[in-house]
Amino acid sequence: MKFSSAIFTIVATFIASVSSHTSMSFPPTRGHPLNENAAIKDFGCIMAPLNGGSGCAPKKFPCGGYPQDKKIVTTFKAGEVFSVKFFNQNFPVLREEDKQKDQARHNGGLCEFSLSYDGGKTYTVIATYKKTCPDIFFDGWKVKIPENAPSCDSPGNCLFSWSWINAVGNREFYQNCADIKIEGNATEPLPIIDITRANLPPLFKKIVTPEGDDLNSGNAVGSGPRKEDVQANLALKIGNNNNDSSPNNDKSSQPPQNNDNKSPPPPQKNNDNKQPPQSDNENSNDNNNNQNIPCSENGSMVCGKEGVSAEFLTCDNGKLVSRSCPGILVCTQNGKSIFCGYPKRR
């Protein structure tokens, strides 16, 4: 009863506060009133964008300028899969009859989940959700810690970051950070795959308007995590296949070798590896055509142009869906899956 009373007190304070956007509640977020280990608890503006607004002052990048937690209690193991959870103070209890109410999700947009080993100076994006994220009524926002993630037990430096660029409304940049520990066996650092830095002038001058949720154009419940995003995020391999993510790795710089024992990829269009690079318009047309190509093994993945482009295709409910490796990484075939690595040196 004491716990319930405390939660209702926090929620009541939230409701009386200024900003009513969405925030990340798991992993526990710096500055969040629901995080019992937060060094400070920002009832008024934890959910506001870093731009400020609606009575909230602009916040610092990274992580809104909130200090590290007093105690770090969240530990992830390399290869572990978990679900991120979101929270809005106007919905202390998620009820079916409330799904059409305003949760200030701005028609979703672009969510990126990333790791930082240096306190938010650099990032490695490990999961991306397009169009439909965030949404408090879904808990299937799955993220996988890379299997080749090295250990991190440096308070204040080991971070899990959620960054969001909203689809509808003012051009804004949101970020919450969680202090974490990572247990891994890799000795090489993960490659830097930067988050999308936009809509936060003068620091991030680039203006981005991502696509929004097809189900609705406002703030009510959306369509939830897209299957193709979940599958791609869980299958994504960061860096090289041998756990060495250094861009100077000799193996990554060599041309792909023929391997007669390699499992054949799922059915796809004619081999593009032998074709010259196409223009952006031609690639765009190819991506659209890929949506209609049938496939038989759900979850199988194949590179569009192995070792050349970032594009890869995922078999989703009998049809190939086009996806891309993050950042500057390119696709390399790995049996019936793929991994994203640095392009070979010219």
Side-chain angles (χ1 to χ4, degrees):
M1 294 299 292
K2 290 183 179 179
F3 176 77
S4 298
S5 175
I7 290 295
F8 279 113
T9 299
I10 290 174
V11 170
T13 306
F14 258 139
I15 292 175
S17 63
V18 177
S19 178
S20 61
H21 294 89
T22 297
S23 64
M24 181 175 69
S25 60
F26 183 83
T29 297
R30 286 183 178 183
H32 204 293
L34 295 183
N35 179 5
E36 62 182 15
N37 293 299
I40 62 172
K41 297 187 178 184
D42 185 356
F43 288 89
C45 296
I46 183 64
M47 301 185 186
L50 269 61
N51 312 69
S54 299
C56 293
K59 295 188 283 188
K60 295 181 180 179
F61 177 85
C63 307
Y66 296 110
Q68 71 183 66
D69 287 355
K70 295 179 293 184
K71 182 179 180 181
I72 301 174
V73 298
T74 305
T75 300
F76 294 118
K77 294 183 178 180
E80 181 177 349
V81 176
F82 64 95
S83 292
V84 172
K85 295 183 179 180
F86 295 108
F87 177 80
N88 182 295
Q89 69 267 33
N90 292 330
F91 300 82
V93 179
L94 299 180
R95 302 178 300 184
E96 187 71 23
E97 58 266 32
D98 292 335
K99 286 187 173 182
Q100 298 307 314
K101 293 183 179 179
D102 184 356
Q103 58 168 297
R105 58 186 292 269
H106 298 302
N107 191 226
L110 174 66
C111 286
E112 293 175 322
F113 300 102
S114 57
L115 297 177
S116 177
Y117 283 71
D118 55 13
K121 296 177 182 177
T122 61
Y123 297 87
T124 299
V125 175
I126 60 173
T128 302
Y129 284 92
K130 299 179 180 179
K131 294 188 176 183
T132 62
C133 181
D135 197 321
I136 62 173
F137 284 97
F138 296 90
D139 58 4
W141 309 104
K142 294 185 180 299
V143 176
K144 181 179 180 180
I145 302 296
E147 295 177 0
N148 58 327
S151 292
C152 191
D153 188 7
S154 176
N157 288 322
C158 311
L159 299 176
F160 177 81
S161 164
W162 164 61
S163 50
W164 170 39
I165 296 179
N166 53 304
V168 172
N170 296 332
R171 297 297 82 221
E172 297 170 330
F173 178 87
Y174 296 77
Q175 187 188 34
N176 288 160
C177 295
D179 286 294
I180 64 171
K181 297 179 182 179
I182 299 175
E183 296 178 353
N185 296 317
T187 57
E188 296 291 338
L190 293 173
I192 295 174
I193 305 172
D194 202 12
I195 61 176
T196 301
R197 302 181 184 229
N199 301 355
L200 187 63
L203 187 60
F204 307 152
K205 296 180 180 179
K206 183 179 179 181
I207 301 300
V208 172
T209 303
E211 292 184 84
D213 198 331
D214 296 329
L215 189 61
N216 67 63
S217 59
N219 292 316
V221 66
S223 48
R226 303 192 309 161
K227 289 183 179 179
E228 57 266 40
D229 287 344
V230 175
Q231 291 176 344
N233 289 332
L234 297 186
L236 182 64
K237 296 181 184 295
I238 303 294
N240 295 309
N241 202 28
N242 61 354
N243 282 350
D244 184 354
S245 54
S246 170
N248 295 320
N249 180 2
D250 290 338
K251 291 186 178 180
S252 68
S253 66
Q254 298 300 321
Q257 301 293 320
N258 291 329
N259 186 351
D260 294 335
N261 296 323
K262 187 176 181 179
S263 300
Q268 57 166 318
K269 59 185 178 181
N270 291 335
N271 183 10
D272 285 335
N273 292 335
K274 298 180 180 180
Q275 300 298 323
Q278 295 176 313
S279 68
D280 291 340
N281 289 336
E282 288 172 323
N283 280 327
S284 176
N285 291 334
D286 276 355
N287 290 348
N288 292 332
N289 292 335
N290 287 333
Q291 307 291 332
N292 299 317
I293 297 177
C295 56
S296 59
E297 189 172 350
N298 281 340
S300 59
M301 310 173 78
V302 63
C303 295
K305 293 182 177 65
E306 183 175 6
V308 176
S309 77
E311 183 195 9
F312 61 92
L313 308 173
T314 302
C315 186
D316 181 21
N317 293 323
K319 292 185 178 180
L320 288 176
V321 176
S322 179
R323 298 281 296 162
S324 294
C325 292
I328 64 170
L329 304 186
V330 298
C331 180
T332 302
Q333 197 66 40
N334 181 29
K336 294 185 179 181
S337 185
I338 63 99
F339 69 91
C340 295
Y342 285 99
K344 62 184 180 180
R345 291 176 292 189
R346 300 294 183 183

